[in-house]
Amino acid sequence: MPEPFDIHDHRHQMKQLRESSDTGLYDNRDGVSCPVCAAVFDRLFILRGREQQFPENDGARFCLLNQDDGVYLFRH
């Protein structure tokens, strides 16, 4: 089971692109590793709300991590 991922521990390594009460989007600027697969990810999307619709995928690989404070989508 992966270690919990705390966005506040990595804020200085990522650029916040968007933030709302339901979602957060961050750009990985410093090679932070994905807690699910250990590979470096490009972007992190955090879903705190109950639902979210995603645009058509460009085929990029991603990992999901479900935690108490939200669902984390790491795009590689």
Side-chain angles (χ1 to χ4, degrees):
M1 183 166 181
E3 290 291 318
F5 187 87
D6 188 344
I7 187 67
H8 301 293
D9 291 344
H10 303 283
R11 290 290 292 259
H12 64 282
Q13 297 170 293
M14 293 189 272
K15 179 178 170 110
Q16 180 178 328
L17 301 175
R18 274 185 264 152
E19 184 74 29
S20 73
S21 61
D22 289 336
T23 64
L25 180 63
Y26 301 87
D27 189 34
N28 187 357
R29 296 282 173 104
D30 198 22
V32 178
S33 296
C34 173
V36 177
C37 71
V40 173
F41 62 90
D42 296 323
R43 294 241 170 130
L44 168 60
F45 179 77
I46 301 173
L47 172 63
R48 295 180 198 92
R50 292 187 45 87
E51 57 189 41
Q52 178 68 37
Q53 189 173 34
F54 295 98
E56 189 172 320
N57 188 329
D58 63 0
R61 188 171 62 88
F62 63 90
C63 293
L64 291 173
L65 177 63
N66 189 357
Q67 298 191 145
D68 291 339
D69 64 338
V71 176
Y72 291 63
L73 186 148
F74 299 88
R75 184 171 179 249
H76 295 277

